[in-house]
Amino acid sequence: MTTRTQNTMWGGRFAAGPDAIMEAINASIGFDRRLYAQDIAGSRAHAAMLAATGIITDKDAEAIREGLLTVLSEIEAGDFPFSTELEDIHMNVEARLKELIGEPAGRLHTARSRNDQVATDFKLWVREQIDAAVEGLTALIRALLAQAEAGADWVMPGFTHLQVAQPVTWGHHMMAYVEMFGRDIGRFRDARARMNECPLGAAALAGTSFPIDREMTARALGFDRPAANSLDAVADRDFALEFLSAASICAMHLSRLAEELVIWSSAQFRFVTLSDRFSTGSSIMPQKKNPDAAELIRAKIGRILGATVGLFAVMKGLPLAYSKDMQEDKEQVFDAADNLMLALAAMEGMVRDMTANREALREAAATGFSTATDLADWLVRELNLPFREAHHVTGRLVAMAEARGCDLPDLSLDDMKSVHPGITNAVFDVLGVENSVASRTSYGGTAPQNVRAQIARWKEKLE
Ligand code: ARG
């Protein structure tokens, strides 16, 4: 059995130091060192408040402030001696502060606990990630808008069940994702607004008897207000769960777009050409150009949703207030955030660089009897047929075209009349894919003029 020296931070009541295995399972410094900047910012705000309220002297607060700045620069320069024995980022920073400034360092932890400290640090970190996600999403939306603008009236097949359904415009398809990613931004912003309450000053769980000023620390750290209940402040991680939930939905949207890019860039579809910058080659098949970035983005939802489920499982059933289980909140959030940002950046690059193949889109739009609904609608409008009968008549014409191996516009007027004598030459106007999309002017419909109006609305929104 290997035991170490007593812990300098909490070893007072212990006769022996921890077993090496105890130390290994207990330590979080291996990952929570990522919170160093937030930890130091929180400590600086706390020390300034302790001085302003007369709990510590200005002289001690100044020594703490300068010491913390030195610690910050040491960590940033990469020559900070992180120690597993000191468990986590909070104790590593404080121990180094003590080496640097001596006695005043011991006063920093007055009216504070690692419980409110870690909740504050983690919130500050998640808040930054939310801002980064909004930024990444905004860039992606801009790339989609550029694609939509270039091809606002380009005709392509719209699908249901991945079967050609009705012609739509390329711009309309791009704008569908703009709507989705726009809602993702809304979800991140909602989460940010809800989480922006400061846990600092909740102390271990019950608050403190010192005359602290929680408004002051909340303001200094950019929070809207201090959290109103000390138990809740140290015990909840719903802010991280909300971030992960929004991230999961966003990753799901990314995954769907990625899947379309994989399909569209295949030789069978040729709807888009991905740039060389966002494609990879095969080590055995020289001709290959693979959409690896799209495939990896398609997969990212797996780990991001996994992190979400993981944190739910950690948090469920925990009694109030803090339990060490909660130390297991961080790695999953770090991993999910890193991968979301990477996926957003890669998708933005792919969308920005890709070329839509107008001809291939147009050609595919005219296959699969995609204007059959237009024909049925024409029968209703011009011959006053009930829609069900029009549907039946159209179905017979589709069957006739299919038997002949041609498309609807290739049937002659006599062919048409043989199925319904009332049909006139005017029907051919609605069988063209351009006419089809141009006619869909209902609000939210695929007509190019609608698409252009939506692009303008989004551009204004992004100003
Ligand atoms: N490293 C800990 C965590 O991440 C900090 C809080 C420790 N609090 C405690 N009461 N042991 O959760």
Side-chain angles (χ1 to χ4, degrees), residues 10 26-29 31-32 35 87-90 113-119 204 237 322-330:
W10 46 251
N26 203 34
S28 54
I29 188 63
F31 49 88
D32 69 12
L35 301 176
E87 276 184 49
D88 55 26
I89 185 63
H90 324 296
S113 152
R114 275 189 294 154
N115 295 350
D116 58 338
Q117 197 177 349
V118 73
R237 292 293 181 270
Y322 179 85
S323 296
K324 196 64 171 246
D325 307 52
M326 290 161 69
Q327 182 164 286
E328 292 288 314
D329 59 0
K330 292 170 207 59

Side-chain angles (χ1 to χ4, degrees), residues 101-120:
I101 68 167
E103 196 250 17
R107 301 188 186 278
L108 171 61
H109 214 52
T110 314
R112 185 177 79 169
S113 152
R114 275 189 294 154
N115 295 350
D116 58 338
Q117 197 177 349
V118 73
T120 305

Side-chain angles (χ1 to χ4, degrees), residues 8 60 98 122 132 136 166 193 207 218 248 253 284 297 299 309 338 342 368 383 390-391 395 404 411 447 452 462:
T8 50
D60 285 348
K98 178 127 188 278
F122 196 29
Q166 293 174 353
S248 297
H253 286 150
I284 177 165
I297 293 169
V309 175
D338 290 346
L342 188 55
L383 305 187
H391 186 286
R404 298 207 188 146
L411 293 175
R452 290 195 182 98
L462 291 184

Side-chain angles (χ1 to χ4, degrees), residues 79-97:
D79 47 39
F80 185 89
F82 287 108
S83 136
T84 317
E85 233 170 283
L86 289 163
E87 276 184 49
D88 55 26
I89 185 63
H90 324 296
M91 299 211 292
N92 269 269
V93 169
E94 194 185 320
R96 180 70 186 129
L97 186 66

Side-chain angles (χ1 to χ4, degrees), residues 155-169:
V155 184
M156 70 179 281
F159 297 89
T160 61
H161 315 268
L162 198 56
Q163 310 284 325
V164 172
Q166 293 174 353
V168 295
T169 50

